[in-house]
Amino acid sequence: MEKMKEFAGMAAVTVLFSLFTWALISSYLEEYPLLSYESATVMSVEKTGEKGLFTPPSYYVRVTLPNGKEAPYMNRISKKQVSELKPGDPVKGYSSGPSDFSTIRDIIIDSVFYLIGICVLGFLALCCLIATFLSIPGLERMEQTSGRKRTLKKKRKMGREQRKVRKVQSGWGIAGIFVFVFLAITSRFLVNLSRKLLPFGKTETEALIYDTYSHVTYRKHEDSAYEFTVAFQDSAGQTVKAVKNVTRHTYQQYGLGDKLPISYRDANPYDIFVRGTTVQDLLQATITAEFFLYAALLAVSAFVGWAFFDSRQKRK
């Protein structure tokens, strides 16, 4: 009777995770109608970059939709595209109707959380399905019998110390996977920080602020956003338009029509930095939720690395 209850419980959990996965897939396909997407080519109108406080720039283009109207939104493009595109050039992507257009980067980046959720829930549903299958009374007894035989064989071949070493190695392997993921997430933050601190390879200029935007939440320090839309000419004489995230202190110092002192990387004029950073700017930047996330991931990675090398030294 207990085995039947366990089987029924695992089956119910499997159905639950399966329903969650299906609901997420249905919601994803409703928001991103991949099944109705068709290849489309539209014309570019203008291009711009968006530079955050802690990450390298992202790149966007405004296009003329298949119905001939200018899109009210911007589409994501690559660094190579933003350097090559000119107004009137074709942009390839996908469309589900005359008033819709998406690039491949829109589909992948904007739906990344959907895809992660679908993969996680689908994996849990698969694990529960396997566990449900193995909890069938007859199969479970067979698995236990074969499992005991395998365990006895392993114990004969492997001593206690060897088993301990193998467990430790498995633990460090799992920790290493997490550290790799953490470093992959923080890599953009570290790259941006190094470019910010490097004193060479950058050109100083002033950018005209022709639009401003702010969004202040009830947690005004952690989640609020402040942006300047600026335009300037690079060393090649090209006009560069970009949206630059700034701190609250910088946002209060400048207004519409003012000149913002910036520096940009010679290799990429969209990679801009505000000059004249003050202590107040640093304090406001470090109390944001985004900075806390990067700092926590780096701290965990550093601790795991220190613990690994310390354990190696003790074993030696």
Side-chain angles (χ1 to χ4, degrees), residues 77-94:
I77 54 176
S78 66
K79 179 182 177 181
K80 181 180 179 181
Q81 285 177 297
V82 80
S83 62
E84 296 176 350
L85 274 178
K86 295 179 182 179
D89 285 351
V91 179
K92 294 182 178 181
Y94 300 91

Side-chain angles (χ1 to χ4, degrees), residues 4 8 12 35 41 97 128 135 173 179 191 193 243 266 281 286 308:
M4 291 301 298
L35 300 179
T41 301
C128 290
S135 65
V179 169
V191 167
L193 180 62
V243 177
D266 298 333
D281 289 319
T286 54
F308 175 74

Side-chain angles (χ1 to χ4, degrees), residues 162-182:
Q162 288 177 315
R163 292 198 300 273
K164 184 177 179 181
V165 170
R166 182 165 292 185
K167 287 181 180 179
V168 171
Q169 290 175 343
S170 300
W172 283 122
I174 296 172
I177 293 173
F178 278 102
V179 169
F180 176 79
V181 173
F182 291 167

